[in-house]
Amino acid sequence: MSKALEKLQNCMRCIREKTDFQPEVALILGSGLGDYAESIDIRAEVSYREIEGFPVSTVPGHKGRFVFGYVNQVPVVIMQGRVHYYEGYSMEEVVLPTRLMGMMGAKKLLLTNAAGGMNFEFTPGDFMLITDHISSMVPNPLIGTNLDELGPRFPDMSEVYSRRMGRVIRKEAEKLGIPLKEGVYIQLTGPSYETPAEIRMFRSLGADAVGMSTACEAIAARHMGMEICGISCITNLAAGMSARELNHAEVQETADRVAKQFKELVTAVVTGI
Ligand code: 6GU
């Protein structure tokens, strides 16, 4: 058996010693959005520290644990706090938690993140339905020996973000009166923010929002055959689009400001997908 699969199975054993909860929907919460997990009907939690060989995040504001419970009647697992490539982990390590949620039985994945807006129609505080992504600026998380037990060597990526789930998200946002933008998310490594010239380049390539996560997790989940959807919280405009300098405090401030609406939307989406 490959080392990577052995590591995954070892992590699964650690989790199964704590809980046998069977999630249907997996949720990954982005910057400033993490306290959603505290609002659900929690049945179990496993701290990343309790899982042997698990990558633990170093970013302030990112908690590190799986939370298991119910959103209305839907059994979910929430990844509260993710790890990022810029922290120095390999892409394989970055997607390990995502893979574990798939192995726990979750067939559906809702990805969220804080992102910079590159589209001139966007305003900080907007939500954006992710319709597609550009991941080719970062290493592919599937590089290395293929884990045949999880999925094929050359997985199709022509519909990473489920059109069916996209329709549910549009409908639920409309019912809640929450305006919803749509667009393409581009993942970069960070940790520095982009220059204005880079932002012009990525905009011309067709990207609407920029961030440091999500696309790699979507690829790993799609590889396993999970059905995926994603929502970005546009916390700020990207470099060169406003007179302001970029900083993480602004990202968290905006995320906090719209957290209530975001939670309402996530609850409706989890229940509806
Ligand atoms: Cl402007 N860039 C990147 N890479 N990530 C972000 C961001 C910008 N705003 C929030 N997250």
Side-chain angles (χ1 to χ4, degrees):
M1 199 194 331
S2 78
K3 266 218 152 67
L5 189 65
E6 222 169 274
K7 188 165 177 178
L8 281 164
Q9 290 183 341
N10 198 37
C11 289
M12 275 304 286
R13 260 198 304 280
C14 291
I15 294 165
R16 285 303 175 221
E17 277 168 20
K18 309 262 176 214
T19 179
D20 61 358
F21 195 89
Q22 299 285 327
E24 275 172 27
V25 176
L27 230 94
I28 304 183
L29 299 173
S31 254
L33 311 172
D35 73 343
Y36 178 75
E38 268 111 66
S39 71
I40 75 161
D41 174 14
I42 298 176
R43 296 304 170 91
E45 54 183 80
V46 179
S47 165
Y48 296 165
R49 283 172 226 289
E50 299 175 274
I51 308 169
E52 232 172 276
F54 202 87
V56 177
S57 177
T58 58
V59 186
H62 285 268
K63 292 192 182 145
R65 57 174 187 164
F66 286 121
V67 175
F68 302 87
Y70 291 89
V71 173
N72 296 327
Q73 312 305 326
V74 184
V76 303
V77 54
I78 299 180
M79 197 176 134
Q80 192 178 22
R82 48 155 66 100
V83 289
H84 296 83
Y85 187 61
Y86 61 73
E87 294 176 75
Y89 297 106
S90 68
M91 272 297 180
E92 192 170 273
E93 289 175 300
V94 170
V95 302
L96 181 137
T98 306
R99 285 176 156 165
L100 288 174
M101 295 195 293
M103 290 169 78
M104 289 173 206
K107 300 266 186 301
K108 300 170 188 174
L109 172 65
L110 169 55
L111 287 154
T112 69
N113 59 49
M118 272 189 282
N119 184 316
F120 290 110
E121 313 272 299
F122 292 1
T123 313
D126 279 349
F127 295 109
M128 183 190 89
L129 172 69
I130 303 175
T131 54
D132 204 349
H133 73 218
I134 297 172
S135 79
S136 28
M137 306 301 292
V138 300
N140 191 295
L142 306 182
I143 289 173
T145 309
N146 185 54
L147 303 181
D148 296 326
E149 295 83 355
L150 301 188
R153 170 77 291 188
F154 301 109
D156 175 58
M157 291 288 146
S158 46
E159 190 183 332
V160 177
Y161 301 88
S162 157
R163 280 193 274 270
R164 184 192 72 79
M165 285 176 160
R167 286 192 291 274
V168 173
I169 294 176
R170 281 189 211 101
K171 188 187 77 191
E172 295 299 338
E174 194 178 340
K175 278 202 279 187
L176 289 167
I178 297 173
L180 186 67
K181 303 283 167 65
E182 297 192 8
V184 172
Y185 176 92
I186 185 168
Q187 179 177 3
L188 303 177
T189 65
S192 53
Y193 292 115
E194 302 69 34
T195 64
E198 286 165 341
I199 291 302
R200 286 193 297 275
M201 172 174 86
F202 297 131
R203 187 187 299 116
S204 78
L205 294 177
D208 299 286
V210 59
M212 308 178 194
S213 65
T214 303
C216 58
E217 293 151 343
I219 289 172
R222 196 70 203 113
H223 177 237
M224 299 176 77
M226 293 173 82
E227 190 182 6
I228 302 161
C229 57
I231 305 168
S232 289
C233 174
I234 305 297
T235 49
N236 54 279
L237 294 178
M241 295 178 67
S242 80
R244 307 182 55 156
E245 283 185 14
L246 305 186
N247 62 71
H248 189 61
E250 184 191 356
V251 170
Q252 278 189 314
E253 260 168 49
T254 306
D256 290 346
R257 175 165 64 78
V258 297
K260 190 165 160 277
Q261 271 197 326
F262 174 75
K263 288 178 199 175
E264 285 172 13
L265 182 57
V266 168
T267 297
V269 169
V270 169
T271 313
I273 57 173

